[in-house]
Amino acid sequence: NKQVILREYVSGYPKESDMYVTTGTVKLKVPEGSNAVLVKNLYLSCDPYMRNRMKPATESYIGSYTQGSPIDGHGVGKVLDSAHPKFKQGDLVWGVTGWEEYSLITQTDYLFKIEHTDVPLSYYTGILGMPGMTAYGGFYEVCSPKKGEYVFISAASGAVGQLVGQFAKLLGCFVVGSAGSKEKVDLLKNKFGFDEAFNYKEEPDLDAALKRYFPEGIDIYFENVGGKTLDAVLLNMRAHGRISVCGMISQYNLDELEGVKNLVLIIAKRIRMQGFIAFDYYHLYPKFLDTVLSGIREGKIVYVEDIAEGLENGPAALVGLFSGRNVGKQVVMVARE
Ligand code: NDP
């Protein structure tokens, strides 16, 4: 059983060498009297929150990894054996699993059976899985969006951002995204249908850039990066604007967090700023799946993923999120079936 192990806790930017691949053993049978499910992992999801689990216990909503043990995350697998009444051999599932070839899953609260296989299975690590639910809950539930509103999204071409932008366009909003390369900006404009997009790395003055794209200000900011971007956005928010705080990836590798200078503007502008976790909205999964699957089938929603092949390429793919190496949702393929 090939596994990805966290060598030791990480400070600063994570490196491929912070993890290593080794071979352990696994019993291909679930223990008697358990509720466990044994899966063969097919696709693993690279998610920015995994960086926060590579440090010693923090105030995070989710625990740290154990040094010298396999890491885990979201993934798609095939059930080889099950003692759980909801899952049987041959079922395809998505949920939290190990970064390894075979996993014995004992925490089955967030394990979902995959019923629709007319789309690629890897989609359940992204657009039809946790990041998709993040976009759905974080946009519709947190932002209270209305047709015609001005929407800005950072890290817009990634797993979450690309879907938020498309939801906003489908609703009839004016949508601008920022991303870190020309290739990503082209994707935003030409593939995902954003009205405008810009490369934040080429904008010496983010405030001026936002004023150019939003002369009348921003109603909704979908926050994925934090730091300087949030500061510039606050200067450009309209009265009664909403900020959905999904993530702040620019802060995850810092030993000391950056301050946000312009927070005081929240008062006069009556801004509502709310953090959330994807799990908060999992009760909406059936409705979400219906909406997004029909969107994909009808060609109204498109999706871009970046697939690294082989578990041994997992560490590089995961750390690549923090240099923006991924173009679209970063996935690791462990096995095709
Ligand atoms: P992405 O697919 O967008 O990958 C991460 C991207 O972030 C990179 O490709 C890079 O794109 C950008 N990035 C990396 N470092 C920086 C930086 N210092 N400044 C600005 N941008 C940077 O990831 P996801 O879509 O999966 O996640 C997006 C955000 O959503 C993250 O903050 C994540 O933590 C959060 N999240 C929150 C969840 C929740 O439940 N609240 C659940 C899932 C995700 P670029 O080239 O454009 O810089």
Side-chain angles (χ1 to χ4, degrees):
N1 189 23
K2 238 188 266 172
Q3 302 179 306
V4 174
I5 311 283
L6 177 69
R7 203 180 290 279
E8 52 189 30
Y9 289 132
V10 175
S11 78
Y13 275 76
K15 306 178 295 302
E16 196 181 334
S17 60
D18 291 325
M19 289 160 271
Y20 62 93
V21 180
T22 185
T23 305
T25 54
V26 63
K27 275 212 183 84
L28 290 176
K29 198 107 201 82
V30 295
E32 291 277 334
S34 72
N35 229 3
V37 180
L38 177 79
V39 299
K40 178 181 184 190
N41 291 310
L42 303 179
Y43 295 94
L44 296 172
S45 172
C46 295
D47 289 290
Y49 79 89
M50 296 167 75
R51 169 66 185 89
N52 292 326
R53 301 187 65 193
M54 294 182 176
K55 46 188 150 192
T58 56
E59 285 179 13
S60 176
Y61 59 95
I62 190 163
S64 303
Y65 292 131
T66 305
Q67 300 180 96
S69 293
I71 62 170
D72 61 61
H74 286 78
V76 168
K78 189 173 185 174
V79 176
L80 297 185
D81 190 21
S82 169
H84 195 292
K86 256 173 61 188
F87 305 101
K88 60 175 195 313
Q89 191 187 352
D91 281 352
L92 293 162
V93 292
W94 74 267
V96 176
T97 189
W99 270 48
E100 53 194 352
E101 288 173 294
Y102 301 92
S103 294
L104 185 68
I105 301 178
T106 51
Q107 249 315 335
T108 49
D109 292 354
Y110 292 123
L111 195 64
F112 296 82
K113 195 166 153 175
I114 295 175
E115 312 275 3
H116 306 277
T117 52
D118 58 321
V119 291
L121 279 179
S122 55
Y123 281 25
Y124 290 89
T125 64
I127 187 166
L128 299 177
M130 186 280 285
M133 272 309 300
T134 305
Y136 189 78
F139 182 63
Y140 291 114
E141 300 296 311
V142 179
C143 296
S144 320
K146 290 186 284 296
K147 185 175 176 185
E149 286 193 315
Y150 298 114
V151 177
F152 177 54
I153 304 161
S154 52
S157 69
V160 177
Q162 56 174 284
L163 190 54
V164 174
Q166 294 181 77
F167 286 153
K169 279 309 299 173
L170 287 170
L171 190 65
C173 297
F174 175 80
V175 184
V176 180
S178 64
S181 71
K182 179 175 182 310
E183 183 184 7
K184 292 182 183 186
V185 167
D186 287 345
L187 265 183
L188 291 173
K189 290 204 279 203
N190 304 325
K191 175 104 186 166
F192 301 128
F194 283 50
D195 295 289
E196 291 289 351
F198 65 89
N199 179 350
Y200 67 94
K201 292 181 179 163
E202 287 180 350
E203 296 287 348
D205 183 346
L206 279 177
D207 174 34
L210 291 172
K211 290 204 159 51
R212 200 159 73 232
Y213 293 108
F214 296 101
E216 294 176 56
I218 299 167
D219 293 299
I220 290 175
Y221 173 44
F222 197 95
E223 167 70 298
N224 283 323
V225 310
K228 292 183 198 64
T229 308
L230 176 57
D231 253 327
V233 167
L234 284 166
L235 294 171
N236 289 280
M237 289 297 290
R238 300 178 95 184
H240 302 286
R242 284 131 278 148
I243 301 181
S244 177
V245 187
C246 173
M248 294 196 176
I249 196 168
S250 74
Q251 306 299 297
Y252 299 174
N253 300 309
L254 303 181
D255 292 331
E256 200 167 324
L257 301 181
E258 279 174 342
V260 182
K261 288 200 305 272
N262 298 322
L263 261 189
V264 70
L265 295 173
I266 287 180
I267 309 164
K269 295 187 181 202
R270 287 87 153 173
I271 292 167
R272 175 160 60 77
M273 187 168 174
Q274 187 188 326
F276 71 96
I277 299 296
F279 305 148
D280 300 345
Y281 303 107
Y282 271 25
H283 59 284
L284 302 176
Y285 188 69
K287 195 171 153 219
F288 153 82
L289 191 62
D290 229 37
T291 311
V292 178
L293 263 180
S294 12
I296 295 172
R297 287 173 181 146
E298 290 162 21
K300 291 185 183 144
I301 294 180
V302 295
Y303 184 51
V304 172
E305 48 187 0
D306 190 337
I307 302 192
E309 294 202 8
L311 191 61
E312 45 294 316
N313 292 316
L318 180 56
V319 305
L321 293 177
F322 301 95
S323 57
R325 203 178 89 168
N326 60 307
V327 179
K329 165 71 195 166
Q330 183 68 60
V331 181
V332 178
M333 190 187 84
V334 185
R336 220 173 279 279
E337 56 184 337

